[in-house]
Amino acid sequence: MADVSRARFLVTGGAGFIGSHFVHDTLRRYPEARVTVLDKLTYAGNLDNLAELKGDSRFAFVRGDICDREIVRPLVGESDIVVNFAAETHVDRAIGDPGSFVQTDVYGAYILLEAAREAKTSRFLQISTDEVYGEILGDAANEEAPLLPRNPYSASKAGGDRLAYSYHATYGMPVIVTRCSNNYGPRQHPEKLVPLFVTNALDDAPLPVYGTGTNLRDWIHVRDHVSALHAIIETDGLDGHAFNIAGRNEKSVLEITGGILDALGKPRDLVRHVKDRPGHDRRYAIDDSKLRRMTGWKPAHPFESGLRETVLWYRENRDWWEKVKSGVFQDYYRKHYGL
Ligand code: NAD
Ligand code: TYD
């Protein structure tokens, strides 16, 4: 087992949803570790997600872009482990503005990898996604399955994923790539399915289901995603590997919607079927037996209680999401959904 208890982590995108959970969990698990977050604070970055760490001497926040070599180089140079969460992450936004996805998710990964090569960083985790396999209509994809992304988000992530691997194959860099399925949990940006529908339902506003609502995703609690990343970081000998991280919990959009409405005691007539997303992948499904075999990791949060607890978090943290949903989000929402 690798001793990372005193490691210096550089966490990019740490003010976002998954990155902030990773930061909190890292400092909880390894009291002597240090964490620096590098985050551009795009519309998706939120310092409220890191507010509890204010004044913690083990933690530092730097506002900056992973595409900015001058900012990245010294920060990577001072770190033992780089974990790259920073990305443009929303498929719907990628359809309207692919350029920012290519820039951050591909070019940004390149800038970080170059800095890590120069600094001889001892571990580099590239946070990829199960969406790089494209839609899966047959058996769940294992890590050897072809990458067949079908939208500018998943295609850009596939670029970052393979670029990271190329730094292992070409330069022998200690790179690991992870491909997780759909996360849910507290502090997720309300542009994504679960928090959008929970917060709309709390306000008795319509829940815009794309097309038939039969599209399938595998859902995992964000804390299980983070514990899988730590299991990987703590295991020796994984350089050059890719790992799927799954919840083994496949649900359609309508099933998720029903679960949310039931947890809140809200009526089904809030569901509004709207025009389908262009190129909407029908199903994602991944096989994570390699991860379980090589690290012993298992998820700890059953979906039903995890979703209920998540719904309650949004009910009890209205201040958090009302701020995020105000201002520019309203413009995005009106333009995108016309509701
Ligand atoms: P998020 O949108 O909540 O957060 C992204 C963060 O990255 C934000 O804080 C944003 O400010 C920051 N960022 C964006 N561009 C940046 C740049 N150029 N430089 C520095 N910071 C920048 O995203 P998330 O849901 O937490 O996802 C985190 C990572 O996990 C992403 O790489 C995503 O592709 C991957 N992932 C997400 C899921 C999911 O279900 N959400 C599943 C699998 C993989
Ligand atoms: P999303 O949270 O955007 O994640 P991804 O598309 O990256 O998997 O969407 C999850 C599923 O929910 C996907 O099938 C699209 C669907 N969806 C809706 O039906 N309506 C919505 O308003 C959103 C945001 C998503």
Side-chain angles (χ1 to χ4, degrees), residues 14-15 35-41 47 50 59-64:
V35 174
T36 299
V37 165
L38 171 62
D39 197 297
K40 186 178 175 182
L41 297 181
L47 283 179
L50 300 168
F59 171 74
F61 179 81
V62 176
R63 183 173 190 177

Side-chain angles (χ1 to χ4, degrees), residues 12-20 37-46 49 61-68 84-90 100 103-105 108 126-131 153 157 178-184 187-189 191-192 218-220 222 225 245:
T12 69
F17 166 47
I18 306 170
S20 66
V37 165
L38 171 62
D39 197 297
K40 186 178 175 182
L41 297 181
T42 66
Y43 78 91
N46 187 345
N49 295 345
F61 179 81
V62 176
R63 183 173 190 177
D65 191 330
I66 59 165
C67 302
D68 184 339
N84 182 25
F85 291 97
E88 289 293 338
T89 61
H90 193 37
S100 60
Q103 176 72 8
T104 290
D105 302 8
Q126 172 65 12
I127 307 300
S128 185
T129 164
D130 68 344
E131 305 193 22
Y153 164 64
K157 290 296 292 183
T178 62
R179 301 179 185 142
C180 190
S181 59
N182 282 60
N183 286 220
Y184 69 94
R187 300 200 298 266
Q188 185 168 29
H189 192 284
E191 66 189 355
K192 305 286 182 355
D218 170 52
W219 294 91
I220 184 170
V222 63
H225 182 182
I245 305 172

Side-chain angles (χ1 to χ4, degrees), residues 195-255:
L196 178 66
F197 281 19
V198 174
T199 57
N200 278 15
L202 282 167
D203 283 346
D204 298 308
L207 312 188
V209 169
Y210 295 149
T212 58
T214 51
N215 298 60
L216 295 162
R217 299 289 184 265
D218 170 52
W219 294 91
I220 184 170
H221 196 288
V222 63
R223 283 203 291 269
D224 285 329
H225 182 182
V226 166
S227 73
L229 297 176
H230 282 120
I232 289 168
I233 288 169
E234 289 170 4
T235 305
D236 284 322
L238 304 184
D239 294 348
H241 282 276
F243 290 99
N244 290 342
I245 305 172
R248 299 193 180 183
N249 179 59
E250 203 173 310
K251 299 268 186 243
S252 71
V253 172
L254 285 180
E255 285 174 298

Side-chain angles (χ1 to χ4, degrees), residues 108-291:
Y110 154 71
I111 292 294
L112 283 169
L113 287 159
E114 272 299 296
R117 177 158 83 99
E118 187 181 299
K120 299 188 171 46
T121 302
S122 54
R123 197 156 279 202
F124 190 106
L125 244 74
Q126 172 65 12
I127 307 300
S128 185
T129 164
D130 68 344
E131 305 193 22
V132 296
Y133 296 113
E135 66 178 7
I136 301 292
L137 302 178
D139 291 344
N142 66 25
E143 292 80 356
E144 306 305 317
L147 306 191
L148 297 169
R150 293 172 7 99
N151 65 60
Y153 164 64
S154 51
S156 302
K157 290 296 292 183
D161 176 316
R162 287 301 81 193
L163 191 65
Y165 176 72
S166 79
Y167 273 66
H168 173 75
T170 309
Y171 307 115
M173 253 178 63
V175 171
I176 301 169
V177 173
T178 62
R179 301 179 185 142
C180 190
S181 59
N182 282 60
N183 286 220
Y184 69 94
R187 300 200 298 266
Q188 185 168 29
H189 192 284
E191 66 189 355
K192 305 286 182 355
L193 176 71
V194 170
L196 178 66
F197 281 19
V198 174
T199 57
N200 278 15
L202 282 167
D203 283 346
D204 298 308
L207 312 188
V209 169
Y210 295 149
T212 58
T214 51
N215 298 60
L216 295 162
R217 299 289 184 265
D218 170 52
W219 294 91
I220 184 170
H221 196 288
V222 63
R223 283 203 291 269
D224 285 329
H225 182 182
V226 166
S227 73
L229 297 176
H230 282 120
I232 289 168
I233 288 169
E234 289 170 4
T235 305
D236 284 322
L238 304 184
D239 294 348
H241 282 276
F243 290 99
N244 290 342
I245 305 172
R248 299 193 180 183
N249 179 59
E250 203 173 310
K251 299 268 186 243
S252 71
V253 172
L254 285 180
E255 285 174 298
I256 298 287
T257 308
I260 291 170
L261 291 173
D262 290 347
L264 290 172
K266 298 283 184 176
R268 287 290 194 279
D269 63 11
L270 284 179
V271 172
R272 183 82 48 90
H273 287 270
V274 299
K275 194 164 167 287
D276 207 353
R277 171 188 281 174
H280 194 169
D281 287 333
R282 276 170 286 175
R283 176 174 177 254
Y284 299 133
I286 48 172
D287 173 353
D288 68 350
S289 40
K290 176 181 172 186
L291 171 71

Side-chain angles (χ1 to χ4, degrees), residues 21-61:
H21 281 275
F22 180 83
V23 169
H24 287 287
D25 197 47
T26 299
L27 289 169
R28 247 192 320 265
R29 272 170 195 260
Y30 318 125
E32 293 177 73
R34 292 180 168 273
V35 174
T36 299
V37 165
L38 171 62
D39 197 297
K40 186 178 175 182
L41 297 181
T42 66
Y43 78 91
N46 187 345
L47 283 179
D48 289 349
N49 295 345
L50 300 168
E52 283 166 40
L53 297 173
K54 217 169 169 191
D56 188 327
S57 59
R58 302 168 303 159
F59 171 74
F61 179 81

